[in-house]
Amino acid sequence: MPIQVLMPALSPTMEKGNLAKWLKKEGETIKSGDVIAEIETDKATMEVEATDEGTLGKILIPEGTADVAVNTPIATILADGESAADLGKASAPAPAAKAAESAPPAEAKAEAPQPKAEKAPAAPPAAVAEPDPEVPAGTEMITQTIREALRDAMAEEMRRDPDVFIMGEEVAEYQGAYKVTQGLLQEFGARRVIDTPITEHGFAGVGVGAAMSGLKPVVEFMTFNFAMQAIDQIINSAAKTLYMSGGQMGCSIVFRGPNGAAARVAAQHSQDYSAWYSQIPGLKVIAPFSAADYKGLLKAAIRDPNPVIFLENEVLYGHTGEVPKLDDYVIPIGKARIVRSGKDVTLISWSNGMTYALKAADELAKEGIEAEVIDLRTLRPMDTETIVNSVKKTGRAVTVEEGWQQSGVGAEVAARIMEQAFDYLDAPVARVSGKDVPMPYAANLEKLALPSVAEVVAAAKAVSYR
């Protein structure tokens, strides 16, 4: 059946773009990875790569067309043996399969074998989500995107404490590069929502100085890849000052922004810094997954007297989730959460790695393997007790991360399990991670460089001897 090519998104906030030009003509042969078109917005230009092989059967949107909505069919690819007569039968792929810019590539890969699920003889056991004890029974829940949860967390803390302010590139007039700070300039004014020049070393240093003077800055990096320009300010100034001053000088500051792989932004904009920051004494490192955790943990981070690294994920910004409707919803830093209970194997992850872990747990349940899924939420301090208690119950563990394996967070988790639960293990701890290469730009190679649900399932079955 012919496959429709959809208008992709350059970022999670993109709603439409211009189809600048076609690089392939109707009737030309296309291979996976071929660049077939260019699209552009007011901020960037991107090449559209084919993810399927065949012949470019029909161009649906001519080049030069402006304001094409994301996920609009722009062309149709014919498979071998198909002709123009088959064009009317074209089926659109799932948005995640083509719009790799707004969804994790591995998700598309994992969703492919859906017909299997329909034939399953019985539905897998429902995941048991354990609420945080801070949420009273019967609390009303509201549905929010993660960017909305982050915005509300900052707004609530700014109303609560006049010392809290936000600074970073495009956080004010442009409402945030990812629209996370939308509306804050209008409510709090330019004195507390500050646009900075493109100089991370400079404005991170200003933020650290402000924190040492008693203010509570929230410093946004457009991506933590750019925070490498400010690494001296973060590590040597923010993290070490309390110790070096003998406790006389603190630094209450939050460094926040997207971390890790996004989509099609290549090696210099896709690195996961979880392991880098979680090694440093003096820092607290948070990497949430759900909308409720993003809100509750950011509020806790802003109130914390220590410097906090708050690692977000660009792919997750548009994801929705339930958030408790409470006057002051704060989650304690350093506490993991059992998102799904199980007895056969423990899957441990955080941030976008939870996407793979939860989908893998669903697949494993179809084969009779009940996986317990732990969301670490905080990487430093790490909730070792929750991990160890789970492994004592299941006897098996798999860590899941988008970062690299060597010296990674998964390696630290495995070491702690070995030290504190070795006698309970029935198999070595397995690690699923990003591949040991810089992130490729090409969409098909990017998929291969990231973890996948299939890899998590295979690892869980391997440690279960299945």
Side-chain angles (χ1 to χ4, degrees):
M1 184 178 291
I3 298 294
Q4 287 184 345
V5 179
L6 304 183
M7 180 71 169
L10 285 172
S11 74
T13 58
M14 176 178 162
E15 296 179 354
K16 56 188 178 181
N18 305 328
L19 206 160
K21 64 180 176 180
W22 285 100
L23 303 178
K24 294 283 187 179
K25 298 178 181 178
E26 290 183 1
E28 286 192 36
T29 300
I30 292 174
K31 295 182 180 179
S32 178
D34 281 356
V35 177
I36 61 174
E38 287 184 359
I39 63 171
E40 60 184 22
T41 67
D42 60 336
K43 297 188 70 175
T45 300
M46 189 192 75
E47 297 171 337
V48 179
E49 291 185 3
T51 56
D52 298 279
E53 298 190 353
T55 303
L56 184 57
K58 187 172 181 61
I59 292 174
L60 304 176
I61 303 292
E63 65 180 40
T65 303
D67 297 335
V68 181
V70 169
N71 290 333
T72 299
I74 59 174
T76 303
I77 295 178
L78 298 171
D80 289 342
E82 293 178 334
S83 65
D86 298 306
L87 287 171
K89 305 174 187 175
S91 63
K98 181 67 196 102
E101 286 67 39
S102 57
E107 287 188 35
K109 187 175 178 181
E111 287 172 3
Q114 279 189 348
K116 247 181 166 180
E118 295 174 8
K119 296 196 251 179
V128 180
E130 298 187 1
D132 282 290
E134 293 78 14
V135 181
T139 298
E140 181 185 352
M141 308 295 280
I142 58 173
T143 300
Q144 285 190 308
T145 64
I146 283 171
R147 66 167 54 88
E148 290 169 340
L150 288 166
R151 179 204 61 210
D152 285 359
M154 289 185 285
E156 289 174 15
E157 292 305 300
M158 291 176 77
R159 296 182 195 118
R160 174 181 174 271
D161 187 343
D163 288 337
V164 177
F165 70 97
I166 299 167
M167 63 189 301
E169 297 158 358
E170 299 189 342
V171 298
E173 296 291 344
Y174 191 70
Q175 310 282 310
Y178 306 98
K179 305 307 178 194
V180 172
T181 53
Q182 195 161 26
L184 298 185
L185 174 64
Q186 287 70 26
E187 180 174 354
F188 300 103
R191 187 170 178 270
R192 297 181 66 194
V193 184
I194 304 167
D195 275 332
T196 66
I198 305 174
T199 167
E200 284 75 16
H201 184 267
F203 68 73
V206 170
V208 171
M212 290 177 177
S213 300
L215 298 177
K216 298 177 180 177
V218 178
V219 176
E220 176 180 308
F221 293 118
M222 196 176 290
T223 159
F224 264 94
N225 296 274
F226 301 157
M228 291 181 71
Q229 304 293 329
I231 202 76
D232 182 61
Q233 306 284 20
I234 297 170
I235 305 302
N236 280 330
S237 296
K240 298 177 181 177
T241 295
L242 182 67
Y243 178 83
M244 295 178 70
S245 67
Q248 298 178 72
M249 185 181 294
C251 187
S252 180
I253 186 170
V254 176
F255 298 100
R256 53 157 292 271
N259 169 67
R264 299 289 309 285
V265 290
Q268 293 177 330
H269 294 71
S270 299
Q271 190 161 327
D272 184 346
Y273 292 90
S274 302
W276 281 44
Y277 291 114
S278 65
Q279 190 195 26
I280 306 300
L283 293 179
K284 293 187 178 181
V285 183
I286 299 171
F289 171 67
S290 70
D293 289 345
Y294 267 95
K295 181 177 183 180
L297 284 166
L298 182 54
K299 285 170 68 73
I302 293 171
R303 297 183 190 184
D304 199 283
N306 301 284
V308 178
I309 304 294
F310 198 91
L311 301 174
E312 300 160 11
N313 188 280
E314 181 184 336
V315 171
L316 296 177
Y317 280 142
H319 288 209
T320 58
E322 290 189 336
V323 179
K325 190 176 181 181
L326 296 170
D327 291 337
D328 194 24
Y329 180 61
V330 182
I331 295 174
I333 296 172
K335 182 62 181 171
R337 179 170 176 242
I338 298 175
V339 178
R340 177 180 181 134
S341 296
K343 62 179 179 62
D344 297 322
V345 60
T346 301
L347 305 181
I348 304 151
S349 194
W350 57 94
S351 189
N352 197 40
M354 287 293 296
T355 303
Y356 313 114
L358 288 170
K359 289 188 176 183
D362 287 337
E363 294 300 313
L364 290 166
K366 297 172 187 176
E367 301 188 38
I369 300 174
E370 295 181 25
E372 182 149 291
V373 182
I374 295 177
D375 181 359
L376 289 182
R377 304 195 294 189
T378 302
L379 305 182
R380 184 184 185 100
M382 187 179 291
D383 186 359
T384 309
E385 182 181 5
T386 296
I387 299 169
V388 168
N389 287 341
S390 177
V391 172
K392 285 181 177 179
K393 177 174 67 172
T394 65
R396 299 170 173 87
V398 177
T399 67
V400 185
E401 63 187 315
E402 289 193 329
W404 297 309
Q405 274 197 6
Q406 180 159 329
S407 308
V409 177
E412 176 64 23
V413 172
R416 295 191 186 198
I417 292 172
M418 183 276 294
E419 290 170 346
Q420 301 185 39
F422 180 79
D423 290 339
Y424 294 88
L425 285 172
D426 294 320
V429 178
R431 292 181 289 161
V432 176
S433 69
K435 309 308 179 294
D436 195 26
V437 293
M439 183 62 71
Y441 172 73
N444 54 338
L445 296 179
E446 184 181 60
K447 291 180 184 180
L448 297 175
L450 288 165
S452 69
V453 174
E455 290 172 344
V456 180
V457 170
K461 292 172 72 173
V463 299
S464 301
Y465 304 115
R466 295 283 290 271

Tab-separated table of all heavy atoms in Angstrom, residues 46-69:
chain	number	residue	atom	x	y	z
A	46	MET	N	15.294	22.584	7.433
A	46	MET	CA	15.573	21.168	7.675
A	46	MET	C	15.299	20.361	6.415
A	46	MET	O	14.393	20.677	5.639
A	46	MET	CB	14.704	20.644	8.817
A	46	MET	CG	15.082	19.247	9.271
A	46	MET	SD	13.834	18.515	10.356
A	46	MET	CE	12.572	18.127	9.147
A	47	GLU	N	16.099	19.322	6.247
A	47	GLU	CA	15.885	18.399	5.139
A	47	GLU	C	14.912	17.311	5.569
A	47	GLU	O	14.956	16.829	6.697
A	47	GLU	CB	17.214	17.758	4.729
A	47	GLU	CG	18.227	18.772	4.206
A	47	GLU	CD	19.604	18.156	4.008
A	47	GLU	OE1	19.875	17.130	4.663
A	47	GLU	OE2	20.400	18.695	3.229
A	48	VAL	N	14.029	16.937	4.664
A	48	VAL	CA	13.085	15.847	4.915
A	48	VAL	C	13.657	14.578	4.303
A	48	VAL	O	13.911	14.530	3.099
A	48	VAL	CB	11.693	16.156	4.314
A	48	VAL	CG1	10.743	14.994	4.572
A	48	VAL	CG2	11.136	17.433	4.898
A	49	GLU	N	13.884	13.575	5.135
A	49	GLU	CA	14.425	12.308	4.655
A	49	GLU	C	13.319	11.273	4.515
A	49	GLU	O	12.396	11.218	5.334
A	49	GLU	CB	15.481	11.773	5.624
A	49	GLU	CG	16.757	12.587	5.664
A	49	GLU	CD	17.798	11.944	6.548
A	49	GLU	OE1	17.533	10.852	7.077
A	49	GLU	OE2	18.880	12.530	6.723
A	50	ALA	N	13.441	10.445	3.490
A	50	ALA	CA	12.506	9.333	3.325
A	50	ALA	C	12.845	8.238	4.331
A	50	ALA	O	14.017	7.933	4.550
A	50	ALA	CB	12.587	8.789	1.905
A	51	THR	N	11.831	7.680	4.942
A	51	THR	CA	12.052	6.551	5.857
A	51	THR	C	11.608	5.236	5.225
A	51	THR	O	11.736	4.180	5.831
A	51	THR	CB	11.291	6.760	7.173
A	51	THR	OG1	9.907	6.952	6.889
A	51	THR	CG2	11.829	7.976	7.914
A	52	ASP	N	11.060	5.322	4.000
A	52	ASP	CA	10.632	4.121	3.275
A	52	ASP	C	11.268	4.132	1.886
A	52	ASP	O	11.698	5.176	1.384
A	52	ASP	CB	9.104	4.090	3.144
A	52	ASP	CG	8.411	4.025	4.492
A	52	ASP	OD1	8.315	2.927	5.049
A	52	ASP	OD2	7.988	5.094	4.983
A	53	GLU	N	11.321	2.964	1.271
A	53	GLU	CA	11.887	2.844	-0.074
A	53	GLU	C	10.770	2.665	-1.092
A	53	GLU	O	9.703	2.153	-0.785
A	53	GLU	CB	12.867	1.673	-0.133
A	53	GLU	CG	14.057	1.850	0.799
A	53	GLU	CD	15.137	0.814	0.563
A	53	GLU	OE1	14.896	-0.116	-0.224
A	53	GLU	OE2	16.220	0.958	1.160
A	54	GLY	N	11.024	3.106	-2.324
A	54	GLY	CA	10.041	2.959	-3.390
A	54	GLY	C	10.213	4.046	-4.421
A	54	GLY	O	11.326	4.481	-4.725
A	55	THR	N	9.087	4.506	-4.973
A	55	THR	CA	9.080	5.542	-6.004
A	55	THR	C	8.233	6.710	-5.534
A	55	THR	O	7.175	6.510	-4.922
A	55	THR	CB	8.494	4.981	-7.319
A	55	THR	OG1	9.261	3.847	-7.727
A	55	THR	CG2	8.525	6.031	-8.419
A	56	LEU	N	8.705	7.934	-5.771
A	56	LEU	CA	7.915	9.103	-5.413
A	56	LEU	C	6.729	9.174	-6.367
A	56	LEU	O	6.849	9.597	-7.515
A	56	LEU	CB	8.762	10.377	-5.498
A	56	LEU	CG	8.080	11.679	-5.048
A	56	LEU	CD1	7.592	11.557	-3.608
A	56	LEU	CD2	9.029	12.860	-5.179
A	57	GLY	N	5.578	8.699	-5.890
A	57	GLY	CA	4.405	8.567	-6.754
A	57	GLY	C	3.735	9.887	-7.056
A	57	GLY	O	3.398	10.173	-8.207
A	58	LYS	N	3.530	10.713	-6.026
A	58	LYS	CA	2.840	11.976	-6.267
A	58	LYS	C	3.254	13.005	-5.224
A	58	LYS	O	3.343	12.709	-4.034
A	58	LYS	CB	1.318	11.771	-6.209
A	58	LYS	CG	0.522	13.025	-6.612
A	58	LYS	CD	-0.948	12.716	-6.721
A	58	LYS	CE	-1.742	13.957	-7.156
A	58	LYS	NZ	-1.322	14.453	-8.478
A	59	ILE	N	3.526	14.209	-5.687
A	59	ILE	CA	3.800	15.343	-4.793
A	59	ILE	C	2.469	16.030	-4.519
A	59	ILE	O	1.804	16.516	-5.447
A	59	ILE	CB	4.809	16.317	-5.422
A	59	ILE	CG1	6.192	15.647	-5.505
A	59	ILE	CG2	4.888	17.607	-4.628
A	59	ILE	CD1	7.241	16.467	-6.234
A	60	LEU	N	2.054	16.053	-3.251
A	60	LEU	CA	0.747	16.582	-2.879
A	60	LEU	C	0.783	18.073	-2.572
A	60	LEU	O	-0.212	18.771	-2.740
A	60	LEU	CB	0.207	15.825	-1.664
A	60	LEU	CG	0.097	14.294	-1.822
A	60	LEU	CD1	-0.361	13.659	-0.509
A	60	LEU	CD2	-0.878	13.952	-2.941
A	61	ILE	N	1.937	18.566	-2.088
A	61	ILE	CA	2.090	19.989	-1.762
A	61	ILE	C	3.227	20.545	-2.610
A	61	ILE	O	4.377	20.118	-2.463
A	61	ILE	CB	2.407	20.196	-0.262
A	61	ILE	CG1	1.333	19.564	0.619
A	61	ILE	CG2	2.555	21.691	0.035
A	61	ILE	CD1	-0.023	20.227	0.551
A	62	PRO	N	2.961	21.480	-3.508
A	62	PRO	CA	4.026	21.996	-4.379
A	62	PRO	C	5.045	22.823	-3.607
A	62	PRO	O	4.737	23.392	-2.561
A	62	PRO	CB	3.268	22.864	-5.390
A	62	PRO	CG	1.992	23.232	-4.706
A	62	PRO	CD	1.657	22.091	-3.800
A	63	GLU	N	6.270	22.868	-4.140
A	63	GLU	CA	7.303	23.660	-3.480
A	63	GLU	C	6.935	25.132	-3.511
A	63	GLU	O	6.261	25.616	-4.422
A	63	GLU	CB	8.666	23.429	-4.127
A	63	GLU	CG	8.804	23.881	-5.548
A	63	GLU	CD	10.197	23.604	-6.101
A	63	GLU	OE1	10.776	22.529	-5.823
A	63	GLU	OE2	10.702	24.499	-6.813
A	64	GLY	N	7.366	25.828	-2.442
A	64	GLY	CA	7.014	27.237	-2.313
A	64	GLY	C	5.753	27.481	-1.510
A	64	GLY	O	5.421	28.632	-1.208
A	65	THR	N	5.060	26.397	-1.143
A	65	THR	CA	3.829	26.556	-0.361
A	65	THR	C	4.169	26.958	1.071
A	65	THR	O	5.010	26.330	1.720
A	65	THR	CB	3.014	25.245	-0.341
A	65	THR	OG1	2.729	24.856	-1.684
A	65	THR	CG2	1.715	25.430	0.428
A	66	ALA	N	3.520	27.996	1.557
A	66	ALA	CA	3.777	28.491	2.915
A	66	ALA	C	2.717	27.979	3.882
A	66	ALA	O	1.612	27.595	3.487
A	66	ALA	CB	3.797	30.012	2.920
A	67	ASP	N	3.086	27.962	5.164
A	67	ASP	CA	2.166	27.637	6.267
A	67	ASP	C	1.491	26.275	6.099
A	67	ASP	O	0.279	26.120	6.240
A	67	ASP	CB	1.094	28.726	6.411
A	67	ASP	CG	1.695	30.072	6.776
A	67	ASP	OD1	2.797	30.087	7.364
A	67	ASP	OD2	1.068	31.098	6.483
A	68	VAL	N	2.317	25.260	5.811
A	68	VAL	CA	1.803	23.887	5.740
A	68	VAL	C	1.751	23.329	7.159
A	68	VAL	O	2.759	23.314	7.877
A	68	VAL	CB	2.701	23.003	4.850
A	68	VAL	CG1	2.137	21.595	4.765
A	68	VAL	CG2	2.845	23.615	3.467
A	69	ALA	N	0.597	22.869	7.591
A	69	ALA	CA	0.435	22.377	8.964
A	69	ALA	C	1.217	21.084	9.173
A	69	ALA	O	1.328	20.244	8.261
A	69	ALA	CB	-1.038	22.139	9.274
